[in-house]
Amino acid sequence: QVQLVESGGGLVQAGGSLRLSCAASGSIYSIIGMGWYRQAPGEQRKLVATITSGGFTNHADSVKGRFTISRDNAKNTVYLQMNSLKPEDTAVYYCNCNARSTGGVLPRNYWGQGTQVTVSS
């Protein structure tokens, strides 16, 4: 199995910055891609940003220009640098990892437990 450990969430004032980290560990054969999703109260979970093992990135329009996803493949870690935070960014942020486990071939989706980001006005 693959485990994801998220960190970096917290309370920040509007206009401030936070950096989220997510480290994947366990029986990893290869990681196809990693990403960040968020879920606000009463809303569906939405994509924030994704990055493939080859370095291709995708950012939601709502965060483009403010958030930047990056990764360290050697450490199986993905980051989300969040700048110019707004109250509407308040949500639980979840790390996602699409990976193949050791001894397997089919990729699976794994999720972290989530980390709370609260932006005050």
Side-chain angles (χ1 to χ4, degrees):
Q1 292 185 321
V2 176
Q3 297 84 233
L4 302 177
V5 179
E6 301 145 322
S7 62
L11 175 64
V12 65
Q13 293 181 337
S17 298
L18 286 173
R19 188 179 76 156
L20 306 182
S21 299
C22 175
S25 62
S27 302
I28 301 172
Y29 177 78
S30 64
I31 294 176
I32 309 303
M34 300 183 75
W36 290 95
Y37 296 72
R38 68 186 183 187
Q39 187 169 19
E43 299 183 4
Q44 294 182 320
R45 188 173 299 182
K46 298 180 179 179
L47 181 147
V48 177
T50 59
I51 186 167
T52 69
S53 60
F56 294 101
T57 62
N58 180 49
H59 296 79
D61 289 341
S62 60
V63 305
K64 193 173 297 181
R66 299 187 299 119
F67 293 8
T68 303
I69 191 170
S70 61
R71 85 279 190 266
D72 185 337
N73 287 348
K75 298 180 179 179
N76 292 332
T77 300
V78 65
Y79 306 93
L80 185 67
Q81 180 66 48
M82 304 185 293
N83 298 325
S84 301
L85 283 162
K86 304 175 181 179
E88 48 263 46
D89 294 318
T90 296
V92 177
Y93 284 70
Y94 296 91
C95 179
N96 171 266
C97 177
N98 187 245
R100 294 185 293 187
S101 62
T102 55
V105 63
L106 295 177
R108 306 290 187 186
N109 274 320
Y110 301 89
W111 293 92
Q113 291 183 315
T115 183
Q116 177 70 48
V117 172
T118 302
V119 184
S120 62
S121 60

